[in-house]
Amino acid sequence: MTTTPARLTVLAGPTAVGKGTVSADVRSRYPEVWLSVSATTRAPRPGEIDGVHYHFVGTQEFERMVDAGELLEWAVVHGRNRYGTPRGPVEARLASGEPALLEIDLQGARQVRASMPDARFVFLAPPSFEELERRLVGRGTEDAEERERRLATARVELAAESEFDHVIVNDDVQRATDELVSIMGIATR
Ligand code: 5GP
């Protein structure tokens, strides 16, 4: 009997489209889905827990991880902080025959496509650019300058939709989550 190797699914999409919200919904409603915990140099937001939402590390530690080849992909996001996927846990998860999910930015998704072309690439799209802008303002966690920076990134990222295997429109978080886990081959409930 041949076994199909477990697949990696990469969820990417523009800033503020709701990737974090969809990830949180996956965590709470589908705890059986293994979600990679990224390393980042950005400071934790209120409520974020080290080791759960991110591994919060300093610039030196991040550089050490890059130099040691410990990251599957990494990127400077919004021209500012560094974010990267620790390679070991992802490889261990796939080696055990279980699917894994990464929620990363577009630059990271392109790196994963280069190194793991068999992965499945899913683009989370906003219902419209206006809606994306509204969500970014509504979140209220960034100042005006940071919002502009993120919107500029989002404009470029929206144009990348056609590079992806699947597109999910995030008009409703639970519906988007259900579509994602069903693409991963996990039964929805
Ligand atoms: P936030 O600061 O809002 O948590 O995340 C900012 C952006 O960084 C989001 O677009 C998120 O998808 C992206 N991101 C989070 N973790 C990673 C990672 O490990 N690698 C890459 N390339 N991007 C990431």
Side-chain angles (χ1 to χ4, degrees), residues 19 38 42 45 54 73 83-85 103-105 108 150:
K19 296 192 297 289
S38 298
R42 93 151 156 70
R45 295 190 186 121
Y54 283 104
E73 59 73 36
Y83 296 80
T85 303
E103 183 259 283
I104 59 177
D105 90 317
R150 288 181 176 223

Side-chain angles (χ1 to χ4, degrees), residues 7-78:
R7 280 187 90 180
L8 178 65
T9 299
V10 177
L11 178 70
T15 181
V17 72
K19 296 192 297 289
T21 317
V22 169
S23 305
D25 193 40
V26 168
R27 268 196 196 94
S28 73
R29 289 197 301 128
Y30 296 96
E32 70 272 33
V33 175
W34 187 88
L35 193 55
S36 164
V37 180
S38 298
T40 183
T41 59
R42 93 151 156 70
R45 295 190 186 121
E48 285 183 333
I49 300 163
D50 188 34
V52 175
H53 300 96
Y54 283 104
H55 298 291
F56 295 100
V57 299
T59 306
Q60 265 192 347
E61 171 60 6
F62 197 95
E63 275 167 10
R64 190 202 60 74
M65 293 170 98
V66 172
D67 291 345
E70 289 177 15
L71 299 180
L72 181 61
E73 59 73 36
W74 71 274
V76 176
V77 181
H78 309 307

